[in-house]
Amino acid sequence: MRLNQVTVTMPDLDLGWSFYTLLGLRPVVDARPRYARFLCPDGDSTFSLHQGESGGGGTTVYFECESLDETVGRLSEAGFQFVSGPEDKSWLWREAELLDPGGNRIILYFAGSNRIDPPWRVGQGGPSETRPSEPLRSPLVQSPRIEPE
């Protein structure tokens, strides 16, 4: 299975079009004001916008950038307003956050090998297999560890 696309909702697709093309995505379909689809600059994943009033409903989209600090600097010079970053996170990613015109959270990040192979990866001798005396958890998962009886 391979992820094809992520679609977010926003009220004004013209603003979304400008935002995402400046972010570096390449247009594939322009059916504004109802729909727009873009190709991500690396790989073959796509990203689309759907017109609607419920934008920003808890959606967070992550785009990986090889040169995160340079990308954030370039986008800041182009007028993008960042909420935070770039900063190193405890889950071993470097991230910067901004909001798109629909209020959706956009995280630009660099994770390197930690993107799919963090030290706590399941099946790699992580917490579920090593059973350390103190639970080792991904910083992204804050729920308590339940031990079998």
Side-chain angles (χ1 to χ4, degrees):
M1 183 180 339
R2 185 173 68 198
L3 177 66
N4 176 39
Q5 76 182 46
V6 172
T7 301
V8 298
T9 301
M10 66 177 51
D12 187 335
L13 266 58
D14 289 333
L15 287 175
W17 180 276
S18 297
F19 179 89
Y20 286 103
T21 55
L22 285 171
L23 198 60
L25 279 68
R26 297 184 311 241
V28 174
V29 175
D30 183 359
R32 287 178 286 167
R34 297 175 322 280
Y35 180 81
R37 187 171 176 208
F38 305 88
L39 179 65
C40 293
D42 298 310
D44 62 359
S45 297
T46 62
F47 182 82
S48 60
L49 308 175
H50 182 265
Q51 196 282 325
E53 295 303 320
S54 61
T59 302
T60 303
V61 180
Y62 285 75
F63 290 108
E64 188 166 20
C65 305
E66 289 289 325
S67 304
L68 177 65
D69 292 74
E70 292 172 17
T71 300
V72 169
R74 179 179 49 79
L75 293 171
S76 294
E77 288 175 10
F80 282 78
Q81 299 292 315
F82 282 82
V83 173
S84 66
E87 56 190 23
D88 294 328
K89 300 295 186 176
S90 62
W91 48 91
L92 308 179
W93 293 19
R94 185 162 177 76
E95 297 183 359
E97 179 181 345
L98 66 159
L99 300 174
D100 76 8
N104 299 293
R105 292 180 64 222
I106 305 300
I107 308 293
L108 304 181
Y109 78 100
F110 180 74
S113 62
N114 291 311
R115 183 175 69 82
I116 58 172
D117 195 21
W120 48 82
R121 180 176 174 168
V122 173
Q124 301 295 315
S128 64
E129 295 178 19
T130 59
R131 298 216 179 269
S133 58
E134 294 204 17
L136 173 64
R137 290 190 287 273
S138 162
L140 297 176
V141 178
Q142 298 301 318
S143 60
R145 183 167 174 192
I146 299 172
E147 295 289 336
E149 295 183 19

